[in-house]
Amino acid sequence: MTPAPRKPRRQHLLTVQHTEHLTPHMVRVVLGGDGFSGIEFKEDTDQYIKLLFADPALGLQRPYDLDALRDQLPQDQMPVTRTYTIRHIDRERQHIWVDFVIHGDEGIAGPWAAGAQPGDQISFFGPGSGYAPRPEADWHLLAGDESALPAIAASVESMPAQAQGLALIEVRDAAEEQPIAAPAGVEVRWLHRGADFSPETTQLTAAVAEVEIPSGDVQIFIHGEREQMKAIRRNLVKERGVDRRGMSLSAYWAYGRVEDQFQAEKRTPVGQIDED
Ligand SMILES: Cc1cc2nc3c(=O)[nH]c(=O)nc-3n(C[C@H](O)[C@H](O)[C@H](O)COP(=O)(O)OP(=O)(O)OC[C@H]3O[C@@H](n4cnc5c(N)ncnc54)[C@H](O)[C@@H]3O)c2cc1C
């Protein structure tokens, strides 16, 4: 049987309304415009979008006609995607907030956000999603580095007042902490690397290994750098016997890899969080 043709992905076009430096290494880009009304938002709290970026030297107009471009451009000149979380949806103003880690001059999306100006256009696919805190869960564990901070903050802020749990968030230092409106029973604990991210400075894996997980209905959301996610998975699932089912655990990026390579490696052994 011939498989049904895939539904074409719709590309949304929004405009930068304004930007805000939340901390020295995190910029909020507020996006809005006519394209807002066509976005099909989900109920989940980790909604992510795939922003498209083309080489400015090509002078392409957004939204990109990817089918036509595939016939015109070599593969290495095609627009690339970068994945970002919707931190907040402001339905009244028809805005979305996207918080970008500024991780130096390398990359495409981080430098774009650092220099974004009102009126700049951006186009994207999505949102996709996969997690929302279950109101009936007895206890929540959330953990991640800065890349997962927007998703963790949005998730914690959506929890009912009686929710219980712990959110472990690794950042560079105290200047990178952000206010999060957590329910009284959900502790937000900041971990300070004291330096840029590196396999030597990261503290997340060790901190998760120290967490005492209560018995009962525990819901887990952990995302961040790929090797840390593998180590955390080994600790929780292999060593401590925590049920992998229902656990939201994946890599959001990989140290030393641009996102294109990171995504491509998901189809190879090095890209797998689950080794069996
Ligand atoms: C579902 C999902 C949601 C995400 N949500 C967010 C979000 O809300 N905010 C956010 O900032 N990121 C988020 N990320 C991570 C983001 O997609 C990656 O960090 C991405 O690589 C950034 O693209 P770039 O063009 O800036 O850098 P790239 O061109 O991809 O990479 C350039 C270099 O920078 C390094 N690098 C990439 N990200 C980081 C980082 N965070 N810290 C240190 N070094 C880095 C790479 O290893 C590489 O060496 C999310 C990822 C996923 C899968």
Side-chain angles (χ1 to χ4, degrees):
M1 212 167 74
T2 348
R6 278 175 71 181
K7 201 172 140 201
R9 290 196 294 173
R10 178 157 175 201
Q11 198 179 139
H12 304 282
L13 180 69
L14 289 180
T15 306
V16 175
Q17 307 295 304
H18 58 268
T19 64
E20 186 186 345
H21 280 262
L22 300 175
T23 67
H25 292 89
M26 184 78 91
V27 170
R28 172 163 299 158
V29 180
V30 176
L31 300 169
D34 293 344
F36 181 93
S37 57
I39 305 172
E40 290 176 31
F41 293 108
K42 309 276 200 286
E43 294 298 318
D44 290 336
T45 53
D46 68 339
Q47 295 187 70
Y48 56 85
I49 52 179
K50 300 251 169 209
L51 304 174
L52 285 151
F53 293 96
D55 180 350
L58 296 171
L60 303 177
Q61 292 297 310
R62 291 177 185 273
Y64 303 130
D65 184 343
L66 295 180
D67 287 334
L69 290 176
R70 250 177 234 112
D71 294 335
Q72 295 160 15
L73 295 175
Q75 182 58 33
D76 64 358
Q77 285 187 16
M78 284 294 288
V80 295
T81 57
R82 294 290 185 266
T83 313
Y84 281 83
T85 304
I86 299 177
R87 169 68 176 83
H88 175 69
I89 305 167
D90 180 343
R91 291 179 194 272
E92 203 179 316
R93 293 191 182 82
Q94 301 209 315
H95 289 169
I96 60 172
W97 301 357
V98 185
D99 294 354
F100 293 75
V101 177
I102 305 304
H103 53 83
D105 300 333
E106 278 184 55
I108 299 175
W112 175 83
Q117 298 292 327
D120 288 353
Q121 288 191 321
I122 188 83
S123 52
F124 59 87
F125 295 120
S129 71
Y131 164 89
R134 286 184 288 101
E136 71 279 12
D138 296 326
W139 201 77
H140 296 272
L141 174 62
L142 301 96
D145 59 30
E146 297 90 333
S147 68
L149 169 50
I152 292 174
S155 300
V156 165
E157 289 180 356
S158 79
M159 289 179 183
Q162 74 281 6
Q164 302 281 319
L166 171 66
L168 286 174
I169 309 174
E170 177 184 294
V171 292
R172 178 183 236 282
D173 52 32
E176 295 300 325
E177 294 183 12
Q178 295 181 26
I180 297 178
V186 179
E187 181 195 352
V188 177
R189 195 181 299 164
W190 298 92
L191 308 169
H192 296 162
R193 282 191 307 270
D196 287 347
F197 179 97
S198 76
E200 293 73 36
T201 57
T202 180
Q203 314 208 346
L204 193 67
T205 302
V208 172
E210 292 293 308
V211 174
E212 275 187 41
I213 299 175
S215 56
D217 179 3
V218 173
Q219 193 182 8
I220 296 181
F221 180 85
I222 304 181
H223 298 271
E225 198 279 326
R226 189 171 68 196
E227 291 307 313
Q228 311 320 306
M229 296 304 107
K230 289 183 192 174
I232 288 171
R233 186 259 179 206
R234 264 195 306 276
N235 171 257
L236 290 179
V237 179
K238 282 240 156 164
E239 291 161 25
R240 294 208 267 169
V242 180
D243 194 347
R244 177 72 169 99
R245 286 170 304 172
M247 186 189 288
S248 176
L249 173 76
S250 78
Y252 272 11
W253 65 288
Y255 184 66
R257 307 285 206 272
V258 300
E259 184 169 335
D260 318 72
Q261 192 182 0
F262 159 67
Q263 295 288 356
E265 284 177 353
K266 284 185 179 172
R267 295 184 287 276
T268 70
V270 72
Q272 309 289 316
I273 301 302
D274 296 285
E275 64 229 1
D276 41 40

